[in-house]
Amino acid sequence: MTTLFISDLHLDESRPEITHLFLAFLREEARSAEALYILGDLFEAWLGDDDRSPLTDAVRQALRALVTAGVPVSFLRGNRDFLVGTDFAAETGVTLLPDPCVMVLYGEPTLVMHGDLLCTDDLAYQAFRKQVRDPAWQETFLAQPLPARQAFAAQARAASQQRQAGLIAANTLEAITDVNAAAVEDTMQRFGVTRLIHGHTHRPAIHALTAGGHRAHRVVLGDWYEQGSVLRVSSDGYALTAL
């Protein structure tokens, strides 16, 4: 049996081919998996469980079908869909995980994260993250009418794009938006693990490192902008491949 990990699909109406690829993945390969873990940014944006569309309804139905077929699905919120809530979980049958979360994977303690917490050099983003992850802020935001939430999201997206353009012009985007090596080692040592799986950075790779004086590995999941990316883990090892 194999456990599957994916992240950063950024499902959006503007890229229907990726939605079709994901729905086929749920119908086909995922049906024979031991479990599926989605480590954030399944959606390009999520403004509350009441924000429905044909795309999100199709995803809801496909996830429910997979869970009903006997495959447990766990969901860890990302920086784009941190407002996924209990209504979505109840409707789909997925289990919402905290970020970070330690699981025992075929006998090995493994830390799973979305990955944005590791990007500690991006001070502006970390300040924004702290604000929008505050329960009081979320309660106030979700109490607003959906059009107001949509307007806020559009404004935040425009500001983010402008900031990225500035980082590109200054040739600092790659360094600031990647993980901080010391933060990775400190986090793995704090949780007592030698294997970390995360997404967010869109830089798929398997990195060897040292954490707490022990040999360790950091697996970075790929995004689904142009193709799928899946980590398959079994008792025999793991492989990160494109679909």
Side-chain angles (χ1 to χ4, degrees):
M1 296 292 285
T2 302
T3 299
L4 306 175
F5 291 83
I6 59 175
S7 74
D8 299 284
L9 286 80
H10 294 270
L11 299 179
D12 185 76
E13 286 83 356
S14 65
R15 295 184 300 116
E17 68 282 357
I18 296 300
T19 301
H20 295 155
L21 179 63
F22 175 59
L23 296 178
F25 168 77
L26 294 182
R27 289 193 308 267
E28 297 166 8
E29 180 178 359
R31 285 294 180 100
S32 60
E34 186 168 349
L36 170 64
Y37 288 82
I38 303 171
L39 301 188
D41 286 3
L42 174 61
F43 301 100
E44 177 68 14
W46 190 267
L47 302 178
D49 291 355
D50 60 334
D51 185 8
R52 306 191 73 103
S53 69
L55 184 156
T56 61
D57 284 345
V59 171
R60 284 179 169 97
Q61 294 166 11
L63 289 172
R64 168 54 72 177
L66 182 61
V67 172
T68 301
V71 180
V73 179
S74 297
F75 190 103
L76 191 154
R77 303 170 184 89
N79 58 292
R80 297 299 186 100
D81 48 22
F82 58 88
L83 290 172
V84 165
T86 54
D87 288 348
F88 177 85
E91 188 172 351
T92 60
V94 306
T95 298
L96 298 179
L97 299 178
D99 184 9
C101 177
V102 176
M103 56 181 292
V104 179
L105 191 58
Y106 303 104
E108 181 175 348
T110 300
L111 180 64
V112 294
M113 308 176 66
H114 176 57
D116 54 339
L117 279 170
L118 301 170
C119 300
T120 55
D121 293 325
D122 194 344
L123 300 180
Y125 169 74
Q126 294 299 333
F128 176 77
R129 186 189 192 280
K130 183 177 181 180
Q131 175 192 12
V132 300
R133 296 301 182 98
D134 179 75
W137 184 94
Q138 293 186 6
E139 182 179 1
T140 300
F141 180 78
L142 292 172
Q144 298 181 41
L146 182 58
R149 283 178 267 156
Q150 291 170 332
F152 173 87
Q155 184 180 31
R157 188 176 300 113
S160 175
Q161 291 172 347
Q162 183 177 16
R163 179 171 179 268
Q164 284 194 7
L167 293 175
I168 291 172
N171 199 30
T172 58
L173 179 67
E174 290 294 316
I176 288 180
T177 60
D178 202 356
V179 301
N180 177 282
V184 169
E185 183 175 353
D186 290 346
T187 301
M188 295 182 73
Q189 187 171 355
R190 175 160 49 93
F191 284 94
V193 299
T194 57
R195 181 163 64 189
L196 165 64
I197 301 172
H198 71 83
H200 181 66
T201 63
H202 302 186
R203 297 172 172 90
I206 299 177
H207 301 274
L209 65 147
T210 301
H214 302 283
R215 294 180 60 189
H217 290 89
R218 177 171 67 94
V219 184
V220 187
L221 307 177
D223 64 69
W224 285 49
Y225 278 119
E226 303 295 337
Q227 59 187 10
S229 177
V230 181
L231 173 68
R232 301 170 178 90
V233 183
S234 70
S235 57
D236 296 325
Y238 47 92
L240 179 63
T241 60
L243 286 180

